Amino acid sequence: MIKLFLLSLISSLVLTPLVKKLARALGAVDQPNRRRVNQYAIPSLGGLAIYFSFILSLVLLGIDYKFYGLIISSSLIVLLGVIDDLYELPALIKLGGQVVAALTLILMGTKIELITNPSGGIYYLGYLALPITLLWLVGVTNTVNLIDGLDGLAAGVSIIAAVTVGIIAYQQGQFEVLLLIVPLVASILGFLPYNLNPAQIFMGDTGSMFLGFTLGAIAIISYLKTITVLTIVISILALGVPMLDTIFAILRRKLAGNPLFKADKEHLHHQLLKIGLKQSEVMIVIYLISIFLAMIAVGIHGANLKQGFILLTSTTLLLGLGAWELKKLNKNLGF
């Protein structure tokens, strides 16, 4: 594991500056505009460094054939992200590409096949396995993609989510899943110093979609194709901040009559910036919220159904109160 971690970390540290030069040469540079927070042009495509470091480690140290589906499908996602970072694909075409990548993973054997009732009983999904797995993969891919609007934000939240899934996989004895978690975390850590405020490079859709898709796939793999009500909750809490941000974005755009895929500056990090926090401070706040949710997820995993319900209910109420107070504060400030 140590060799796997170091190989991924060093690869990412070395590759990121090279990808930065490549992005500039290809013209993959994010220019400042009204919906971005960067004040100057910053090269994108940083996700390539994360992706290649992750894949390189798996290939050099050997990997079980059962993970080939993840390698192939995540490669399709990265290709889609590169094209999008270069040419800004229409939302529906990008969604179609995500569906193709997800179907590739599903057809190669990674899917949610049954759901276990915590109080007893097993529900075999049958033909529903495909749409449910597809919805999960595409959903998680886009939640990480949507939160990638601030220096170091998507990378840090993804690390916290990956570590959470890794801890739970370890508790379940799914040690082979750590062969995916360890290089993924190390690859993001190697990229993160270049992405912290003031960022030298962005991961772009190449990175955010790769991280979201890979985290969604690993979550399925770590539960041995068996999902319970509590494991669904755990997976959602591991990515709690981007998940909630995505839900609020959908509701906000729906109520305003705007297209669901139309970008805006009303995400959580934008709201925190509006009240006067610096980018680095916003990042720390969201990291802390993510760590809190990760701890709740680990706690729910070790709890019975009643304890899990109490933890989830109290957490939901607390988050709802926090969101309400933040919205009220922004309104009082005239935003």
Side-chain angles (χ1 to χ4, degrees):
M1 286 295 181
I2 295 177
K3 288 182 180 180
L4 191 60
F5 180 87
L6 290 176
L7 178 58
S8 302
L9 178 66
I10 294 171
S11 297
S12 186
L13 283 168
V14 172
L15 286 175
T16 301
L18 299 178
V19 171
K20 179 181 174 181
K21 293 180 180 179
L22 175 64
R24 288 194 181 280
L26 294 175
V29 178
D30 282 358
Q31 301 292 341
N33 61 36
R34 64 182 185 83
R35 69 180 181 85
R36 292 191 175 121
V37 298
N38 54 302
Q39 302 299 313
Y40 51 90
I42 297 177
S44 188
L45 291 180
L48 281 176
I50 300 173
Y51 163 75
F52 280 120
S53 299
F54 176 71
I55 297 298
L56 179 64
S57 300
L58 296 181
V59 171
L60 289 181
L61 295 182
I63 186 171
D64 196 299
Y65 74 92
K66 70 178 69 173
F67 297 144
Y68 287 175
L70 174 59
I71 292 177
I72 294 172
S73 57
S74 64
S75 297
L76 292 176
I77 277 288
V78 168
L79 178 61
L80 176 68
V82 170
I83 296 172
D84 187 49
D85 284 333
L86 289 172
Y87 304 108
E88 293 192 29
L89 295 171
L92 287 179
I93 292 179
K94 187 159 65 171
L95 179 62
Q98 293 170 357
V99 169
V100 170
L103 286 174
T104 300
L105 180 67
I106 293 169
L107 294 175
M108 294 189 73
T110 300
K111 59 185 175 182
I112 304 168
E113 295 181 331
L114 52 91
I115 295 178
T116 304
N117 188 330
S119 59
I122 296 176
Y123 302 99
Y124 291 93
L125 296 177
Y127 292 114
L128 291 177
L130 192 151
I132 289 175
T133 307
L134 179 63
L135 183 63
W136 169 255
L137 289 170
V138 172
V140 177
T141 298
N142 283 293
T143 57
V144 178
N145 187 222
L146 284 175
I147 202 175
D148 184 30
L150 210 62
D151 298 351
L153 187 56
V157 170
S158 295
I159 289 173
I160 295 168
V163 170
T164 304
V165 173
I167 290 172
I168 295 171
Y170 178 80
Q171 291 176 339
Q172 290 182 326
Q174 305 303 320
F175 303 117
E176 62 180 10
V177 174
L178 298 180
L179 295 175
L180 299 174
I181 293 291
V182 169
L184 182 64
V185 170
S187 298
I188 306 171
L189 280 172
F191 168 79
L192 190 57
Y194 303 98
N195 188 231
L196 292 174
N197 186 255
Q200 302 175 43
I201 185 171
F202 290 153
M203 68 171 63
D205 280 5
T206 303
S208 60
M209 289 199 299
F210 167 70
L211 290 179
F213 185 87
T214 304
L215 285 169
I218 292 175
I220 296 173
I221 294 169
S222 67
Y223 299 131
L224 287 177
K225 304 180 181 179
T226 304
I227 302 294
T228 68
V229 173
L230 288 183
T231 53
I232 292 173
V233 170
I234 289 167
S235 298
I236 292 174
L237 285 174
L239 283 164
V241 172
M243 283 280 189
L244 290 172
D245 203 30
T246 300
I247 292 170
F248 288 143
I250 292 172
L251 293 174
R252 180 175 65 247
R253 294 167 188 173
K254 187 70 176 177
L255 292 173
N258 295 325
L260 294 182
F261 297 104
K262 183 180 179 181
D264 58 33
K265 294 189 71 172
E266 299 298 325
H267 292 287
L268 174 60
H269 52 278
H270 293 127
Q271 298 292 334
L272 292 171
L273 287 171
K274 286 178 182 179
I275 65 175
L277 295 182
K278 300 176 182 178
Q279 280 203 49
S280 56
E281 294 170 336
V282 172
M283 182 190 70
I284 292 172
V285 168
I286 296 180
Y287 279 6
L288 291 174
I289 296 173
S290 297
I291 292 171
F292 166 73
L293 292 175
M295 293 171 65
I296 295 297
V298 174
I300 287 178
H301 177 256
N304 57 39
L305 187 59
K306 181 179 179 181
Q307 293 169 335
F309 177 78
I310 293 173
L311 275 172
L312 180 61
T313 302
S314 57
T315 301
T316 302
L317 291 174
L318 183 61
L319 290 173
L321 178 61
W324 174 264
E325 290 297 328
L326 178 60
K327 191 68 177 178
K328 188 166 65 173
L329 179 59
N330 272 323
K331 187 176 181 180
N332 291 337
L333 291 174
F335 297 114

